[in-house]
Amino acid sequence: MRSVKPNSQDFSELTSWRPSGSTSALDHCVELLHNRAAAWGILAISLLLTGLAWFLTNRHVERRDRDRFEFRTAEVQSRIEERMQKYEQVLRDGTAFFAASENVSRQDWTNYIQRCEILERFPGIQAAAVSVVVPSSEVASHQAGIRAEGFPDYRLHPEGDRDLYSAIVYIEPFDWRNERAFGYDMYSEEVRHKAMERAARTGLLTVSGKITLVQETDQDVQAGILCYLPIYQKNKPLLDEQSRFEALKGWVYAAFRLDDLMVGILGDGISDISFQIYDSVDPSRKDLLFDSHGDKPPTETGRAASFTEQRHLSLSGRDWTIQLSTEPEFFSVIDSSVSPTVAVLGLLIDILLFVVISSIGRQRSSAIKLAERMTNDFKESESRIRSILENATDAILSVAANGEVMAANEAASRMFLTADKNTSVKFLNGHSFDLFLNNQTFAEIVAPEKTSDTTSSINQVEISLRCCRDDGSRFPCRMSIGAVDGNGGYIVIARDETSRIASENELAETNRQLVSASRKAGMAEVASGVLHNVGNSLNGVNTSSSLIATMLDDCPIQLLLRAVNTMNQNRANLGDYLTNDDRGKRLPDFIEQVSAALLDCKEKLTEETYHLRNHISHINQIIRIQQDQASSSNSLSDESATELMSQAELINLGRHSEYDIAIERNFNTTAKIMTDRTKVLQILVNLIANAQDAVREVTSVARTIELSIKQADGNTYFTVSDNGPGIPADVLPRIQEFGFTTKSDGHGFGLHSSVAAAQTLGGELQIGNNPSGIGACFALVLPISVPQDSPTDEHATFPLTDVSVGDHHPAHV
């Protein structure tokens, strides 16, 4: 510590000063000073002042030590809180990954962890994993599914009967230690159960109590904790705790070994203080999470001035207590010679030292407060400016008048330096900006913009030019240059135009491809229309042909031949045979029954032959209309609405019996409409076929399709509804798109073409789910008379019986 010395000139003047006429008094004082009693008195006073100075010095040192200790304890607490907040963000990124993806596979999770470099950037995490909810009824299927992924020994453990299970299915890194937790049901253990349920019901990050991780072995056993964030099903309401728990899919969680975590947060450099972390507000040995001493007993400081402090942390549902105390190294920086020096110095030096120390103490306190306030203001201002500069996507540089780069942000480093060079902004500082300009100098750029009075105004110019990187590669750049008022320098804001130009070129190419693709799609749509329209009608032909063949096989012609053979065998005595023989007596009745059966068979064959002719006629109409589509005219006729719906049902008749589907009819009108019969039949056949596909996997109730017709407000409503699973919410907006289908064997043409055909008839096709919530409903709305100005698309005649279109069964989604 620096002592204050009096000025030598002042000191000589002081000692040489003599008041006039006081020589005898001075001599008397000198005599008094030589007095033994006075010497002891002065010594006593000197010792008293020295002791007081020593006491004050010790208090000052102790207060300084206390301030430094409180700063260190606050630093430890701050590091732990900041690191746990970063870990929380890691977990939130994981839940966001699940929320933004339709399906996250095991490889997706592995790639995510590797790309984020979580284990390298966030030391202390033992595992980043996903645990899913497994209902008790799905345990067997869950285990079979995981084993099918290549884990034949996988099992959900521990075993036992529970209403709800959870299973760790994704865990990284998948090493020998974490493999022990694969398939573990954390929900079966009380401490983990409480944390998981709180996270599920609140939707917030939850830290578990003290546990022993499943990954632990017999060596180096450490206390552990788990941090959970819930994963919810999409499109599920999350209004309260119950709804959140019902929408729960699982948890993204992180496992920590506390010793490894604290080393990752604090490092090995904190040796001057020791601390213990407890998982409770009132610490006890059983709640100990971490002890910086490890297994070694604490070292005695040997000082009475050792410090201890207790702090509390609130971490996502858990209250931690940190107890901190000083180590011997904490006091090694104290200058132990201060107190002896104070004791040895003489009276005058003691008094001056006391005054200096007291003065310095007061000034130091004021100076520290002033410095802290100024430092905080400076850091806050610097932080704001740095945040603005470093988050800017454009390069920002400060360039001197001679072209030398004075300062730059990180975006400038990324723009002008290649990855294999030092990308620090310090590499740019001191270099000439001319190095990054192509065939130009900075002076040439700014020279035309200079004025005679640069100190009174700020000039700014925006130019486009080509710049260079340090490897010689060139790129287009837009640059804004402004003069800095007063110092002759410039602020340069540069933007790399490569991406924008590439995007414009890509947009132009994409537009060209879209135009070409739309033309090809139109031709493909027409060709597909012919094939699928004819194909659906051929289904009706096949159905009628099969029925005719079946009827012929079942026709009792052979029975009639047997009767004729019997009569021929008894031709000689036919009268006696018919009168007296028991078999002969029954022969007339037998022939009568066979004749009736043959007559019934003939009627059925006649009816089915009529249907077959209708199907063939329908095929001819489709081909004829397709051939005439260039004229784009609708073939209108006066048609019975009931007959149109019945004909469409008849075309799909074979599928009714195949899937045991009941048809309910609700035809409330006998009116006729002026429309194109073929197009209406094509739409209705497709809607009925789709409904049949939707209900064929229904097993809990009878499969039912309701066909209804009504007229209202000048329109005719043809409605086809079913009791199938309905149309999922995510499929409904896209169901009318051309080429969209949810079946592996579908093409996605039919429903799109049905919508187009309905529009050419002046109507519309309404699609949705039944108000009851069970099944889907399709309604073809047609005017009773087609307007004269209804649209006639040259591609209006499209295939409408492709059952892959409109397939709203969720099993195919």
Side-chain angles (χ1 to χ4, degrees), residues 207-351:
V207 178
S208 74
K210 176 183 177 182
I211 61 169
T212 299
L213 297 178
V214 180
Q215 292 94 322
E216 291 292 348
T217 61
D218 295 333
Q219 297 179 349
D220 189 26
V221 178
Q222 300 179 17
I225 60 169
L226 301 169
C227 294
Y228 296 95
L229 265 178
I231 307 171
Y232 297 113
Q233 300 178 28
K234 294 183 179 179
N235 303 320
K236 290 285 187 177
L238 305 174
L239 304 178
D240 51 23
E241 289 187 1
Q242 185 61 30
S243 62
R244 284 191 287 267
F245 192 80
E246 291 174 354
L248 180 67
K249 287 178 62 179
W251 299 264
V252 172
Y253 78 95
F256 301 93
R257 303 176 77 216
L258 264 298
D259 291 1
D260 296 342
L261 177 62
M262 290 302 115
V263 171
I265 295 177
L266 303 175
D268 296 324
I270 298 182
S271 59
D272 54 351
I273 61 173
S274 62
F275 58 98
Q276 296 80 39
I277 302 177
Y278 297 89
D279 182 31
S280 64
V281 177
D282 300 318
S284 64
R285 193 66 187 178
K286 66 182 181 64
D287 298 320
L288 180 63
L289 291 174
F290 173 76
D291 189 344
S292 62
H293 291 119
D295 297 330
K296 299 182 294 184
T299 304
E300 295 294 332
T301 63
R303 292 177 58 106
S306 60
F307 306 118
T308 61
E309 186 169 353
Q310 182 172 290
R311 289 178 175 257
H312 297 286
L313 290 178
S314 181
L315 298 175
S316 305
R318 301 299 301 179
D319 293 322
W320 284 6
T321 299
I322 306 178
Q323 289 186 345
L324 304 103
S325 59
T326 57
E327 290 290 323
E329 292 82 358
F330 182 84
F331 301 99
S332 61
V333 297
I334 304 299
D335 187 1
S336 59
S337 64
V338 173
S339 295
T341 301
V342 172
V344 171
L345 292 177
L347 176 61
L348 182 59
I349 296 177
D350 290 340
I351 296 174

Side-chain angles (χ1 to χ4, degrees), residues 439-451:
N439 298 327
Q440 278 184 296
T441 64
F442 186 74
E444 292 174 348
I445 295 176
V446 300
E449 305 303 323
K450 288 185 177 179
T451 64

